[in-house]
Amino acid sequence: LGAQGETKQAIAAIDELLGYAPELAEAWSLRGDLLYGESDWDGAKAAFAKTLSLSPQRFTDRVKRAMIAMHTQDFETAQADTNLLLEASPQNPTANYISGILQFRTGDYAGAITALSVAEPISANFPAVLFYLGSAHLLTGSNDRAAVYAQQYYRASPSVVEGRVLLAAIRLQQRK
């Protein structure tokens, strides 16, 4: 139902199923996916939290909750989930993407570069990897590396103003 654009009906059907089987982690996960698609961040985060309380090893659901937590600026939940993700899979690009953004946010630009470099293979799906790599390199004085990533980001997302601003800032630094 959800794939056909009938998301509300799909959620109602899942809720009915959960009325009979409230411990079904897969149903909570699907509910979270549907709510995420509706931009119901709180509902999606709660559904993924329930999924993880029933089945804590569900890597993908932990990634989804961490991403939503970052989006809603619940950095404590995002960090806790990221720590568990990295413990389970230290070289996972998505876990390192989340970790890199969290490190960038706290001013650990070298740590952000390390984590985001592991995440670089997923930059086609998450172009923000390139933006944060460019920004972190700029903030650590690596203007040439910053320019490479900023140009890649601009090519991937030419309509995003922040990419153009980052490129302009780098070009100003390179002229000094």
Side-chain angles (χ1 to χ4, degrees), residues 51-157:
T51 302
L52 293 167
S53 74
L54 296 169
S55 184
Q57 307 83 350
R58 294 177 67 100
F59 192 89
T60 301
D61 291 313
R62 192 164 301 281
V63 165
K64 291 173 187 175
R65 185 174 74 170
M67 297 287 281
I68 293 167
M70 278 197 332
H71 182 77
T72 60
Q73 297 188 5
D74 178 1
F75 297 114
E76 187 174 317
T77 298
Q79 187 64 64
D81 280 341
T82 301
N83 292 344
L84 291 170
L85 291 167
L86 290 170
E87 183 179 303
S89 184
Q91 294 301 309
N92 180 277
T94 306
N96 276 281
Y97 168 64
I98 300 166
S99 177
I101 292 175
L102 289 170
Q103 290 179 63
F104 185 92
R105 183 188 160 276
T106 62
D108 179 5
Y109 304 120
I113 290 168
T114 300
L116 291 166
S117 294
V118 175
E120 194 173 350
I122 63 168
S123 63
N125 294 330
F126 297 98
V129 168
L130 302 170
F131 176 81
Y132 282 102
L133 274 168
S135 298
H137 277 291
L138 177 64
L139 291 167
T140 58
S142 300
N143 295 342
D144 291 339
R145 295 294 303 151
V148 168
Y149 288 114
Q151 288 168 353
Q152 289 176 5
Y153 180 71
Y154 176 73
R155 282 194 294 275
S157 303

